[in-house]
Amino acid sequence: MKFRLIDRLLGRSRKHPRVEKGISARGILVFNDTSEVIRAEAVLKSSGLDVQVKGPPPALRTGCDLVIEFPLIMEPAARQALAAARLKPIQTVPVHDVLLEPVSLFHIKDFGDWLMVRAANMKITVEKSSRIIVNVSGGGCPDVPYLAECLVGRNLSEAPEPLSLGHTLCGYALQLAFDEVRSRCPG
């Protein structure tokens, strides 16, 4: 109340997403490691839940670079599906504060003739007119050179799915970038 009066006197507007949004509709599932996140995403999506893998907010970083955002109202169904797959999140957090908003894994950079999509630590760049993959980089997993060798120089419609080639976090992140660049450069 005091802050509102001070803000009003100073001509500032103070927005509190928590107050404006009311009860949060989204929650975050936090896991011990990225392999659990990848498995949980598959389980939850196959259960028909609307989930998205994102980067954790700074307050929830535990060493795992990924979290799952989901409709909070579906928490019992999500927990049941995860339990059936022997997966247990270490934490479930409602997104009720800006500081708890998960961050997008994607960063898009348009270089004119080329488009680069970064998902987590992996980047894929395509020539927009031909849809040819011109570069794959990033990550620190041992399969990154192999993934690059298999993808660079190929058209997006002909290139193999990165997850069919590698099962590391880098392969997973590259699949996300691959899917995003395909959606932005439809053939």
Side-chain angles (χ1 to χ4, degrees):
M1 190 63 137
K2 291 179 185 175
F3 293 116
R4 286 185 186 162
L5 178 61
I6 292 170
D7 288 341
R8 204 174 333 149
L9 291 173
L10 295 175
R12 298 187 304 205
S13 83
R14 184 179 293 249
K15 293 185 177 182
H16 295 283
R18 172 179 48 201
V19 174
E20 292 172 359
K21 290 180 183 175
I23 297 173
S24 175
R26 305 293 291 176
I28 299 171
L29 296 167
V30 181
F31 292 87
N32 280 319
D33 58 61
T34 52
S35 65
E36 288 182 349
V37 172
I38 294 168
R39 284 184 49 221
E41 178 195 26
V43 167
L44 295 172
K45 282 187 173 178
S46 71
S47 298
L49 295 174
D50 175 27
V51 299
Q52 290 184 324
V53 175
K54 295 195 168 186
L60 294 178
R61 289 197 179 129
T62 61
C64 178
D65 293 336
L66 304 171
V67 294
I68 294 179
E69 186 181 47
F70 72 106
L72 199 52
I73 195 166
M74 299 303 293
E75 183 179 2
R79 285 195 171 273
Q80 186 177 13
L82 293 171
R86 297 184 179 174
L87 288 166
K88 185 176 181 182
I90 57 173
Q91 201 173 5
T92 303
V93 181
V95 179
H96 60 78
D97 192 320
V98 173
L99 295 176
L100 292 177
E101 286 281 340
V103 296
S104 173
L105 292 178
F106 298 109
H107 296 275
I108 314 297
K109 184 74 176 178
D110 191 331
F111 294 105
D113 292 338
W114 300 276
L115 182 69
M116 182 183 76
V117 174
R118 187 181 81 180
N121 58 354
M122 290 300 299
K123 292 175 258 181
I124 187 167
T125 305
V126 299
E127 183 182 47
K128 291 190 288 189
S129 61
S130 65
R131 301 181 72 227
I132 299 290
I133 299 168
V134 296
N135 190 36
V136 169
S137 61
C141 305
D143 60 348
V144 172
Y146 174 71
L147 292 168
E149 176 68 26
C150 294
L151 295 173
V152 172
R154 299 183 84 167
N155 186 289
L156 284 173
S157 59
E158 301 166 349
E161 301 279 327
L163 266 183
S164 70
L165 304 169
H167 299 281
T168 62
L169 173 60
C170 298
Y172 176 77
L174 185 58
Q175 181 69 51
L176 296 175
F178 184 81
D179 292 342
E180 183 66 21
V181 80
R182 275 196 308 201
S183 73
R184 291 177 178 268
C185 297

